[in-house]
Amino acid sequence: MVREVFPKIYLNEIPLPNNPLKALNSYIFVSAKRNLIIDTGFNTKVCKDAFLAGVEELNIDLAKTDLLLTHMHPDHTGLADDLKKLGCKVLISNKDGRLLNFTRTWGSSVYAELNNALDLGKEGFTGSKEFGKKSTEILEYYPLAEGDVIEIGSYELEIVDIPGHTPGHIGLFDRRNKLFFSGDHILNEITPNITFWAHEFDSLGSFIQSLNKIYELDIDTVFPAHRSIIKDYRKRIEEIIAHHGERLDEVSQIIRKEKKTASQTAAEMQWSLSYDKWEDFPGTQKWFASGEAMSHLEHLVFQGKAQRIQENGTIYYALLKNEEQ
C-alpha cells in the first residue's frame, strides 16, 4: 500500500524480510507527462510483488517512468533490470553505475579480495544469496552528475553528490519545496553503514564531509531510504557525526596496545546485535561489522593517527606512538 507524503509524491514501502533494515522506502513522483521512482528493493519475489503492487495502485505506466537509483547497493537496485525491460529509463551516478556493473561481472573475485582485506577469508560475504538473485548482465543506465536537474511535474530535483556510504551515492534536492531525498546518507533510528571500499578512498571522511555539505542546505523534510521521515535533519546529522566520533575513540583504544586486523578490531567493538560473542555473528554480519571497523581504521590512517601494516598478505593497523598519550 502506498501513501502520499507530499503532493504527488508517494511512499511505497518495500518489505525486506529477515533483514535488519526491515523495509526500503521507494518514492514515486507522479505527473501527467512522466513519472519518477527512487530505488527498488532486492531482486526477490517479495520485493517485486510489493513494488509492482504500489505501481499498479497508482496506475503508473512504467514506459513513461524514470527509475533513479541513489546508489549501487542491491536493496536499492535489485529490480532495475526487470524494470528496464518493462520500459523504465535507469538513472544512477556514473561512479556507482560503473561499480554496480563491475561487481556484476567480477563479483566473486571482488568479494574474495574484500574478504581477504577484512581478514575474513571464507567466513565473510559471498555476494548473492542474502540479497536475492544476482544479475550478471551489464545494466545500461543514464549517468547523473552533481548539478543535474530532473523536472517531474512541479518539482525540480537537483542531483547532489554525497559520497561515503558508497563512492558514488547521490541525493535529490528540491530547493523550492525544501525537500531532500537522502537514500542511505541520512537515516533515522539507525546509522548508515560506512564500509571500506579502497585504500585510496576515505569512506568515513567522505561521509562526514557529505553530511556537513547537506547540513548547510535549507531543508524542511528529509525522505530517507529506510525508517522514518526526518524533520530536524541538522540534529540528526549532529547525532550521526557524534556516533562516529565515539566509534573512532573506541577503535583507537583497541589498536593502542598492539596491532589488529579489521576483523580483530570489529570483534572487540560494541554492536547492537543480539549475539553474545563475535563467533556467533553470521558471516554477513561479520562482513558489515569488519567493513565498518576498517573504514574507521582507514580514517585514522588518513588523519595521520594510525598506520597500516602489511605482513604476509594480512593488513594490520596500529596507533602511532604520538597518539598513545
Side-chain angles (χ1 to χ4, degrees):
M1 180 179 293
V2 298
R3 61 186 176 94
E4 193 171 28
V5 291
F6 213 77
K8 297 296 183 181
I9 303 176
Y10 298 84
L11 190 160
N12 188 14
E13 189 172 287
I14 313 298
L16 306 176
N18 304 315
N19 188 291
L21 292 173
K22 299 182 180 179
L24 173 99
N25 298 332
S26 176
Y27 297 97
I28 304 174
F29 291 70
V30 178
S31 78
K33 292 184 178 179
R34 197 159 183 85
N35 312 299
L36 176 73
I37 299 178
I38 302 175
D39 294 334
T40 74
F42 290 125
N43 186 14
T44 64
K45 186 178 186 302
V46 170
C47 289
K48 188 173 182 178
D49 287 349
F51 186 95
L52 292 179
V55 167
E56 291 168 7
E57 186 177 339
L58 295 174
N59 196 28
I60 297 292
D61 182 354
L62 291 174
K64 297 180 180 178
T65 300
D66 293 336
L67 172 65
L68 186 143
L69 308 173
T70 57
H71 60 290
M72 51 82 71
H73 284 155
D75 55 323
H76 297 255
T77 64
L79 300 175
D81 294 270
D82 287 346
L83 295 171
K84 188 176 186 304
K85 290 173 184 176
L86 292 172
C88 286
K89 178 182 177 181
V90 179
L91 315 173
I92 189 173
S93 75
N94 197 42
K95 187 170 286 185
D96 264 28
R98 292 172 65 184
L99 272 173
L100 176 62
N101 282 330
F102 184 74
T103 58
R104 287 177 168 208
T105 54
W106 294 88
S108 58
S109 63
V110 169
Y111 294 123
E113 185 176 340
L114 284 173
N115 282 337
N116 182 60
L118 300 175
D119 190 36
L120 288 171
K122 294 181 180 179
E123 233 189 339
F125 185 56
T126 56
S128 59
K129 288 183 180 179
E130 295 91 339
F131 304 140
K133 186 178 178 182
K134 183 178 181 295
S135 176
T136 56
E137 297 178 10
I138 294 294
L139 178 66
E140 294 181 3
Y141 62 88
Y142 181 85
L144 295 172
E146 170 100 7
D148 288 348
V149 175
I150 300 171
E151 295 185 10
I152 299 289
S154 62
Y155 296 100
E156 292 186 354
L157 302 168
E158 180 181 335
I159 302 302
V160 182
D161 287 339
I162 41 175
H165 182 64
T166 65
H169 197 305
I170 55 175
L172 294 90
F173 180 38
D174 184 290
R175 292 181 183 272
R176 185 169 64 83
N177 295 289
K178 300 181 180 181
L179 311 179
F180 188 72
F181 294 82
S182 68
D184 280 2
H185 182 59
I186 307 170
L187 302 176
N188 237 356
E189 292 100 30
I190 57 175
T191 54
N193 175 256
I194 308 303
T195 194
F196 169 77
W197 286 93
H199 293 300
E200 300 79 21
F201 178 63
D202 181 4
S203 301
L204 181 58
S206 297
F207 176 64
I208 292 172
Q209 186 175 7
S210 296
L211 286 175
N212 288 325
K213 178 179 180 178
I214 302 308
Y215 193 95
E216 298 303 319
L217 299 180
D218 185 11
I219 298 170
D220 282 345
T221 309
V222 170
F223 295 97
H226 305 284
R227 306 299 172 90
S228 61
I229 291 169
I230 303 166
K231 288 294 185 180
D232 192 345
Y233 74 103
R234 287 192 172 122
K235 178 183 177 184
R236 185 59 189 146
I237 286 174
E238 290 167 0
E239 291 170 348
I240 294 171
I241 291 175
H243 164 77
H244 286 289
E246 293 168 1
R247 276 290 197 223
L248 286 168
D249 289 342
E250 180 183 26
V251 166
S252 296
Q253 291 301 320
I254 291 170
I255 63 168
R256 181 176 296 275
K257 292 184 179 179
E258 59 179 332
K259 65 181 187 292
K260 304 275 187 180
T261 66
S263 64
Q264 288 170 343
T265 303
E268 294 187 34
M269 294 169 68
Q270 298 298 312
W271 303 99
S272 56
L273 296 171
S274 55
Y275 302 101
D276 293 330
K277 55 185 183 299
W278 176 252
E279 290 73 21
D280 296 334
F281 279 40
T284 302
Q285 294 304 321
K286 284 184 176 180
W287 162 276
F288 285 120
S290 297
E292 180 117 1
M294 195 163 180
S295 73
H296 288 72
L297 291 163
E298 285 286 317
H299 185 60
L300 291 173
V301 172
F302 273 92
Q303 289 184 315
K305 296 180 178 180
Q307 61 179 325
R308 188 190 308 125
I309 305 165
Q310 190 157 350
E311 294 181 358
N312 301 317
T314 300
I315 299 170
Y316 297 89
Y317 295 86
L319 203 68
L320 290 173
K321 294 296 183 183
N322 61 342
E323 296 294 326
E324 293 182 3
Q325 306 303 322

